[in-house]
DNA sequence: TTGAAAGCGCTAACAG
DNA sequence: CTGTTAGCGCTTTCAA
């Protein structure tokens, strides 16, 4: 009886489409679950159960096998929109970054993407240019689309939006930077260790008078690197007056050049510069050559991040290398962990980094 | 009567949620269209009409205003998933690129994203690493998610998948590269003009013996630049034996170095090199310095693309600058045009480029 | 183990 | 101008 009904249904309601689909390749349109069910002579609910890993055990093994076979033949794959509407899930996450044209971020994106893809997830990417309104709009839009979590590369130390999301226990992971409030899981490089390595390297070359160009102090990277610099100065018993660290308003070549000029004009004596990132270090190059100083002959320079092409600039730049790809990949893994087990205690990861030694650092000049 | 019904409905079915929403800020969850309709005392269909630009004219002006006001108060915004399920649209497009870590692509992505955002659209980005299987899977996944069109930065001259999509008249635009088959709309830079500019520049410096490192010949960029080089040689009455253009298997520094070594070992005489892109040109730098040759003193070098930091390498590289951001932006505009009017005849755009003259090119050496 | 029924939130005929 | 009805394609109680 039910079989008869199915046949009737098939003939009258779905006949043409099903025939077309059966005539392999003529996929008029994507097959639906209902059509698979009709072909298999079962109710759509049964087909649904058979086709989902979680529920296939509820279905008679042979029936399930038959349904799967037919689904495969018909090239069926579930409509993620319909599924998402029903389940409020989406197998997607939101990835919020400041600016893709900053070479820091593409490797992170790749890391996130690759790990997510391996489990059938994907990421929505958005660039915010650090504009809170854009970020807010993007997050809203993502939530409407049922993203299951977020990866933020935009964290500021004070970051109301992140606090809000954390309060609502939205699954998320911060990359590259951390936020002061709430213990939001994060994946960052071990900046303090990186600074120590860089300074160790300079000290081994004989440098004792070192200065630091610090990045913006509303970002964890800016603060952490500066703090590490100051405490390493003391630990190494090097001169550590306050003026040895200059704060730059932004991570830009121009800001670096400006700070360097100020140091040359009225700062303490120094033979080496540790820059908060590579762009600042490039600014140092500019300021040095303006003043007729040579690197590393007169001043050694160390950058941070080891962006692409830092081995090609002149002189090739010694820089602290950050494992960008791994940061992205680990962030994705952490987020997936949280999604799989919402009660899991949030972990944060501190990834090791290495020093790329090149020729912008050399022995301390003889005075 | 209908009002009474609404009240009853409100009280018994949706009471708690609506009260919570009314108590400003306590947004338990996003308001739905149905809830807005109840609050406004209208049918959901009416609310839907009032809230959509296309259909608001079908609704009494005052009623529409009231509905809009209430919707705003409730913080209503339509659920894109539900809308997409119903309409098969999504206000999204798929953006398919080979690899985001290639500095060529981020500006293109930004251009696409910015234009789309201005009209409420957004882009799904995927990296394919030039793997056809990944590309196919990504396109499938995009289609299931009802993307309304595609931007491809992965086009090969022979590209079955693109042909297939074109045959199904899928809205799409190619960027940066073109495909041989079908007249798929594209936005590219005017490579021939760029080559001409570069060669003109070299000729003005006195160079007559020029060679070319061509990129892969399965890509339109590789072919077009090479063709332009050959025909410019003839137009300028310069030596144009076949060996003056060497084909590299890939756009990489190593491939460039290899080709350059071959030219130095057994190629024709030359005083200038036009590289198919900047990476190849960097390879030229490497090969030259291996042989103790100086640039531009012994050999002038011109790159293509003017990637970030090409002004920082040593020597700063003269390169043909491509308007990446604009390419992305124009591609998005073209795609939106097609989406708004599917019958529109597909246009292709050829964007002008400029030459960034730096110190890797200089006067021809005195022999 | 399977089917029936309901509904996620929205829009689009069709009536009235 | 507005309400009724139906359904996009799927999952998930509940009942049998």
């Amino acid at each position: 009886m039910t079989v008869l009904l199915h046949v009737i249904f098939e003939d009258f309601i779905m006949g043409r489409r099903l025939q077309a689909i059966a005539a392999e390749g003529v996929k008029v349109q994507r097959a639906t679950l209902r059509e698979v069910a009709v072909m298999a002579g079962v109710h759509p609910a049964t087909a649904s159960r058979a086709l989902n890993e979680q529920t296939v055990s509820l279905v008679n093994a042979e029936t399930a096998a038959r349904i799967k076979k037919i689904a495969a033949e018909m090239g069926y794959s579930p409509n993620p929109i319909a599924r998402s509407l029903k389940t409020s899930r989406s197998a997607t996450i939101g990835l919020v970054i400041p600016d893709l044209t900053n070479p820091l971020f593409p490797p992170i994106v790749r890391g996130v993407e690759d790990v997510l893809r391996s489990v059938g997830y994907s990421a929505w990417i958005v660039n915010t240019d650090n504009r809170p309104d854009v970020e807010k709009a993007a997050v809203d839009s993502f939530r409407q689309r049922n993203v299951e979590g977020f990866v933020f590369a935009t964290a500021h130390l004070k970051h109301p939006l992140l606090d809000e999301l954390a309060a609502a226990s939205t699954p998320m992971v911060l990359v590259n930077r951390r936020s002061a409030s709430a213990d939001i899981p994060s994946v960052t490089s071990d900046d303090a260790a990186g600074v120590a390595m860089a300074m160790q390297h300079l000290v081994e070359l004989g440098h004792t008078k070192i200065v630091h160009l610090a990045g913006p102090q509303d970002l964890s990277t800016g603060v952490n690197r500066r703090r590490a610099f100051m405490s390493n100065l003391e630990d190494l018993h090097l001169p550590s007056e306050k003026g040895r660290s200059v704060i730059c308003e932004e991570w830009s070549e121009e800001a670096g050049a400006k700070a360097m000029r100020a140091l040359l004009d009225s700062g303490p004596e120094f033979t080496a510069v540790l820059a908060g990132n590579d762009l600042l270090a490039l600014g140092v190059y500019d300021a040095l050559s303006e003043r007729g100083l040579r690197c590393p002959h007169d001043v050694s320079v160390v950058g941070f991040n080891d962006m692409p092409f830092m081995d090609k600039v002149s002189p090739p730049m010694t820089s602290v290398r950050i494992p960008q790809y791994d940061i992205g990949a680990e962030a994705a893994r952490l987020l997936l962990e949280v999604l799989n087990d919402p009660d899991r205690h949030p972990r944060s990861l501190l990834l090791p980094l290495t020093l790329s030694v090149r020729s912008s650092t050399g022995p301390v000049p003889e005075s």
Side-chain angles (χ1 to χ4, degrees), chain A:
Chain A
M1 173 57 185
T2 56
V3 170
L4 179 59
L5 260 175
H6 280 127
V7 169
I8 289 171
F9 182 60
E10 177 179 343
D11 278 0
F12 285 79
I13 313 287
M14 313 177 75
R16 285 221 313 278
R17 280 207 57 194
L18 287 174
Q19 282 165 29
I21 291 170
E24 51 170 324
V26 192
K27 289 171 198 162
V28 181
Q29 249 189 328
R30 197 146 227 83
T32 72
L33 181 63
R34 227 167 71 122
E35 291 165 342
V36 172
V38 170
M39 292 302 277
V42 295
H43 192 272
T46 306
S48 173
R49 293 187 191 104
L51 263 15
N52 278 299
E53 278 315 312
Q54 339 280 355
T55 45
V56 66
S57 56
L58 302 175
V59 176
N60 176 294
E62 285 170 30
T63 314
R66 180 163 44 90
I67 293 171
K68 283 180 179 175
K69 180 157 165 288
I70 289 174
E73 284 170 5
M74 296 174 74
Y76 170 78
S77 76
N79 179 324
I81 309 262
R83 176 178 277 175
S84 187
L85 182 59
K86 180 68 185 173
T87 64
S88 296
R89 285 178 284 107
S90 65
T92 63
I93 67 113
L95 172 51
V96 184
I97 63 179
D99 178 14
L100 211 45
T101 64
N102 180 333
L104 212 58
F105 297 112
I108 295 181
V109 172
R110 294 301 312 263
V112 171
E113 201 188 26
D114 288 352
V115 168
L116 290 182
R117 172 151 52 207
S118 71
V119 296
Y121 273 60
S122 49
W124 277 99
I125 303 168
V126 73
N127 295 278
T128 65
D129 291 318
N130 285 314
R131 287 175 43 190
D133 55 327
V134 172
E135 184 170 60
K136 179 99 175 77
V139 167
D140 274 0
S141 151
F142 284 162
R143 307 205 74 175
Q144 287 181 18
R145 295 192 140 89
N146 287 341
V147 298
E148 299 178 23
F150 291 91
V151 172
F152 284 96
T154 52
H156 283 64
L157 284 173
K158 292 195 61 162
H159 206 132
L161 179 58
L162 293 187
D163 295 344
E164 208 175 287
L165 291 173
S169 43
T170 309
M172 62 178 156
V173 177
L174 312 184
V175 286
N176 223 27
R177 302 171 177 179
R178 314 192 55 177
S179 183
S181 35
D183 58 335
I184 306 174
S186 64
V187 181
T188 56
S189 54
D190 191 346
D191 282 356
V195 167
M197 288 166 65
M199 293 177 73
Q200 181 65 34
H201 168 65
L202 291 172
V203 166
E204 282 168 6
L205 288 168
H207 296 276
T208 56
K209 299 173 206 156
I210 310 178
V211 292
H212 177 52
L213 301 199
Q217 296 293 296
D218 57 337
L219 304 178
S220 63
T221 42
V223 169
N224 289 343
R225 291 171 195 174
R226 179 159 182 265
R227 265 195 209 139
F229 172 76
M230 299 304 278
S231 72
N232 270 282
L233 281 186
E234 294 183 14
D235 294 354
L236 296 166
H237 307 295
L238 303 178
S240 60
E241 322 90 272
K242 249 202 170 153
R244 295 214 159 256
S245 149
V246 179
I247 294 169
C248 304
E249 295 299 323
E250 49 171 37
W251 300 111
S252 71
E253 191 172 345
E254 188 42 50
K258 192 173 148 195
M260 194 65 215
R261 287 185 206 111
L263 275 171
L264 288 168
D265 288 335
S266 56
E269 257 188 75
F270 61 88
T271 60
V273 183
L274 173 61
N277 83 354
D278 292 332
L279 288 174
L280 296 179
L282 287 175
V284 172
Y285 278 17
D286 297 340
L288 289 179
S289 65
E290 281 169 20
R291 305 296 172 97
L293 294 168
R294 284 174 302 160
C295 169
H297 185 269
D298 300 310
V299 177
S300 284
V301 177
V302 179
F304 221 103
N305 286 354
D306 200 12
M307 296 196 307
F309 300 109
M310 287 308 104
D311 54 334
K312 297 287 169 199
V313 301
S314 175
M317 190 187 289
T318 296
S319 186
V320 179
R321 167 170 286 272
I322 293 184
Q324 316 285 10
Y325 181 91
D326 294 333
I327 287 181
E330 290 298 345
R333 288 197 193 98
L334 230 53
L335 186 55
L336 289 171
E337 276 183 16
V338 176
L339 294 181
N340 285 330
D341 176 6
D343 299 328
R344 176 184 288 268
H345 194 67
R347 297 189 292 134
S348 283
L349 251 49
L350 218 53
L351 265 40
L353 19 66
T354 54
L355 187 66
S356 300
V357 176
R358 307 205 180 89
S359 44
S360 69
T361 46
V364 63
E366 323 211 346
S367 58

